[in-house]
Amino acid sequence: MNWLTNVVRPKIRNILRRETPENLWIKCPDSGQLVFYKDVESNQFVIPGSNYHMRMGAMARLKSIFDNETWFDVALPEVTADPLKFRDERKYADRIKDARAKTGLNDAIKAGYGKLEGTAVVIAVQDFDFMGGSLGMAAGEAIVRGLELALEKKSPFIVFAASGGARMQEGILSLMQMPRTTVGVQLMREAKLPYIVVLTNPTTGGVTASYAMLGDVQIAEPGALIGFAGARVIEQTIREKLPDGFQRAEYLKDHGMVDMVVHRHDMRATLARLCRLLTKAPAVEVASKPALQADIPAPAASGAELAPAAPHA
């Protein structure tokens, strides 16, 4: 054993080694530019140079929309965690446990109730980091409960969609969430309450085939991938080459599938303007501490729980 090489040198290396976070720098998928993570985070996860819109977590999204970054979490009904006792390479229950530890969320959708420039709104956000934002029983319950609360409070409902589709580990039970959420949207329509959808990157599969395409106003973020099947599957089916930009937000806007493409920095103001327009509410100047309405008690902190979820048929 060489004492100098095996003992002294490793100790010197350990002294000189600096611990750095893995996400200290972000590489832009579009330009390849390396950007400091804190700069991207402070810019609402938009790469400053290329304007590329990175994925945004549910908590960060809610903070960016609600007044004073304050809202009430919508309490959601409990669902069976692993109804089919599904297993592939790993147990489905283990995958759920890992996803919860990674994101801090109970499932792929988080819903909140608060104010947007003085207007009471219900907002649901899909987090792609939770098993690809897949639509399962819990996510379906979150959308339905959010719609029920919007009907109860007579307020607009805004959903930020980001998903790879239905959750295969729940089989037909996940597919049943498509008609359930569609019925909820129809109830909003009958009550003449605004239902606004923001399509983020990516929104595909069963989510696109249900509540993500039923909005009174369809908004998309720049460059978002939106569709049902993948481009490769479509090309193999129709045996034709698809045009450039197919299934991207800008292409879909040009062809009438999306109403507008809105930059993330302008999203909050655009949503507030649409809510006022569709509810015929007057513009409200938001102070640093807005006056509280009777139907929204003062929250102790952002994300305070609203109330137990009401059972539904």
Side-chain angles (χ1 to χ4, degrees):
M1 174 178 178
N2 190 323
W3 184 79
L4 287 174
T5 57
N6 295 342
V7 178
V8 176
R9 285 183 182 174
K11 284 190 175 182
I12 292 174
R13 282 198 296 270
N14 288 335
I15 292 171
L16 296 177
R17 185 182 295 124
R18 293 184 299 175
E19 295 295 331
T20 56
E22 292 183 3
N23 64 345
L24 185 62
W25 296 89
I26 291 178
K27 185 176 181 180
C28 174
D30 186 36
S31 64
Q33 172 190 8
L34 281 175
V35 188
F36 191 47
Y37 177 82
K38 290 293 183 184
D39 292 340
V40 178
E41 185 180 33
S42 63
N43 201 40
Q44 296 186 3
F45 294 92
V46 177
I47 303 293
S50 64
N51 238 6
Y52 183 87
H53 285 52
M54 304 287 291
R55 290 186 188 127
M56 199 173 185
M59 287 294 291
R61 182 77 71 173
L62 291 173
K63 286 180 180 180
S64 72
I65 300 298
F66 281 119
D67 292 349
N68 296 331
E69 301 183 357
T70 304
W71 70 91
F72 289 94
D73 283 339
V74 177
L76 306 175
E78 292 290 333
V79 299
T80 306
D82 187 5
L84 304 180
K85 301 292 186 260
F86 188 90
R87 178 176 186 137
D88 44 26
E89 294 177 351
R90 298 176 60 202
K91 290 182 180 178
Y92 174 45
D94 293 339
R95 292 185 185 276
I96 288 283
K97 190 182 298 182
D98 290 348
R100 287 174 176 170
K102 176 184 176 183
T103 62
L105 302 176
N106 191 54
D107 208 86
I109 294 182
K110 186 173 181 64
Y113 175 58
K115 290 183 179 180
L116 171 57
E117 292 193 4
T119 302
V121 294
V122 180
I123 299 177
V125 180
Q126 263 178 303
D127 196 319
F128 194 82
D129 288 338
F130 194 104
M131 296 187 69
S134 50
L135 176 64
M137 293 173 63
E141 286 288 352
I143 292 291
V144 171
R145 177 57 188 141
L147 290 165
E148 287 177 344
L149 183 62
L151 288 165
E152 178 187 332
K153 299 295 185 181
K154 300 189 185 308
S155 64
F157 184 82
I158 302 170
V159 60
F160 287 84
S163 178
R167 191 171 296 175
M168 70 171 189
Q169 292 89 344
E170 295 184 15
I172 189 64
L173 298 174
S174 67
L175 297 178
M176 291 168 81
Q177 307 313 309
M178 295 168 62
R180 290 185 71 239
T181 53
T182 301
V183 169
V185 173
Q186 183 60 32
L187 292 176
M188 287 284 290
R189 194 153 291 159
E190 291 173 2
K192 300 188 186 310
L193 293 171
Y195 174 64
I196 302 172
V197 179
V198 181
L199 303 163
T200 69
N201 184 45
T203 303
T204 59
V207 171
T208 308
S210 55
Y211 61 87
M213 282 298 168
L214 297 176
D216 298 317
V217 180
Q218 296 286 139
I219 303 174
E221 288 192 330
L225 174 66
I226 303 160
F228 180 71
R232 186 181 303 172
V233 174
I234 296 172
E235 285 184 337
Q236 291 175 350
T237 303
I238 66 175
R239 302 184 186 281
E240 290 183 15
K241 181 69 175 173
L242 296 174
D244 293 336
F246 183 77
Q247 292 186 325
R248 293 292 173 177
E250 294 77 9
Y251 182 93
L252 297 181
K253 178 182 177 294
D254 293 340
H255 291 77
M257 194 171 177
V258 169
D259 295 312
M260 59 180 80
V261 177
V262 179
H263 194 282
R264 192 171 291 166
H265 293 168
D266 303 322
M267 187 65 70
R268 187 174 186 274
T270 301
L271 291 173
R273 188 167 63 250
L274 285 170
C275 288
R276 287 195 300 268
L277 178 66
L278 296 174
T279 58
K280 300 180 180 179
V284 177
E285 184 177 349
V286 181
S288 57
K289 292 184 178 179
L292 298 172
Q293 294 179 354
D295 63 337
I296 307 180
S302 75
E305 193 170 73
L306 179 66
H312 60 276

